[in-house]
């Protein structure tokens, strides 16, 4: 199970789920202290901005970020849930949850997975740059990109409602 939430809801999500592993995607300078419930080796903190194209002074998500997400996911024993967060729980975290689910369940249809994501989170707006990079790294031949594009932009929200995405159906 992958639990997705905003930065503000990390502690309560960890407590509610019993998760020991945390993936955080935040802009450099955003305060993030590793929760006591998560061992240092079980927390991956990646610094990037929620952008899809290069902008002066901002960190564009890169292939190295996506590769780190994939490596972290593949090192997850899956005996307990994984929590994924970004600042709002809307874009970088939903993209990463989609990427992790696609990587760990390669037989799962990309379109079905995207539609499930939309049903679970009306505000989900997965970062298109992260999705495109993962699509290439996973050899999905643009199917991930097309699937995420098909669900469109999510409902406007300041903060996404936490949700849980099953890896296998």
């Amino acid at each position: 199970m992958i639990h997705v939430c905003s930065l503000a809801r990390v502690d309560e999500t960890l407590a509610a789920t019993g998760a020991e592993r945390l993936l955080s995607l935040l802009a450099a300078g955003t305060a993030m202290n590793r929760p006591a419930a998560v061992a240092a080796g079980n927390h991956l903190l990646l610094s990037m901005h929620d952008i899809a194209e290069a902008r002066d002074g901002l960190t564009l998500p890169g292939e190295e970020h996506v590769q780190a997400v994939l490596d972290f996911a593949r090192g997850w024993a899956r005996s307990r849930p994984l929590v994924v967060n970004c600042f709002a729980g809307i874009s970088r975290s939903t993209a990463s949850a989609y990427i992790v689910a696609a990587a760990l369940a390669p037989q799962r249809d990309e379109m079905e997975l995207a539609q499930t994501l939309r049903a679970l989170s009306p505000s989900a707006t997965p970062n298109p740059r992260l999705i495109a990079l993962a699509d290439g790294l996973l050899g999905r031949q643009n199917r991930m990109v097309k699937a995420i594009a098909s669900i469109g932009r999510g409902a406007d929200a300041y903060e996404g409602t936490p949700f849980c995405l099953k890896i296998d159906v």
Side-chain angles (χ1 to χ4, degrees):
M1 297 283 220
I2 303 168
H3 292 268
V4 179
C5 66
S6 67
L7 176 59
R9 297 196 177 207
V10 167
D11 289 331
E12 72 183 57
T13 303
L14 288 169
T17 64
E20 295 178 324
R21 204 158 172 86
L22 175 63
L23 169 60
S24 302
L25 304 102
L26 301 167
T30 303
M32 173 74 191
N33 295 318
R34 181 178 45 82
V38 179
N42 285 338
H43 184 209
L44 178 62
L45 173 59
L46 297 174
S47 294
M48 71 186 77
H49 287 90
D50 185 20
I51 56 176
E53 297 175 354
R55 289 176 152 175
D56 287 343
L58 300 180
T59 304
L60 181 67
E63 191 171 296
E64 68 279 5
H65 295 114
V66 176
Q67 189 61 60
V69 168
L70 293 171
D71 292 345
F72 188 71
R74 290 175 178 138
W76 171 36
R78 294 169 60 178
S79 58
R80 295 179 82 169
L82 167 68
V83 172
V84 181
N85 80 282
C86 62
F87 187 78
I90 293 175
S91 183
R92 290 166 287 184
S93 58
T94 59
S96 295
Y98 180 86
I99 290 165
V100 169
L104 297 181
Q107 75 289 351
R108 194 164 180 186
D109 180 73
E110 297 86 356
M111 190 65 72
E112 177 276 324
L113 181 56
Q115 291 168 346
T116 298
L117 182 66
R118 169 58 68 235
L120 294 170
S121 178
S123 65
T125 305
N127 179 285
R129 169 98 173 147
L130 289 170
I131 297 298
L133 291 167
D135 191 294
L137 288 170
L138 295 172
R140 295 297 181 100
Q141 301 174 323
N142 218 33
R143 292 188 307 271
M144 290 173 69
V145 171
K146 288 178 183 175
I148 290 300
S150 78
I151 65 170
R153 178 179 169 78
D156 287 341
Y158 174 74
E159 179 183 39
T161 301
F163 67 93
C164 175
L165 177 64
K166 292 180 182 178
I167 295 172
D168 297 310
V169 271

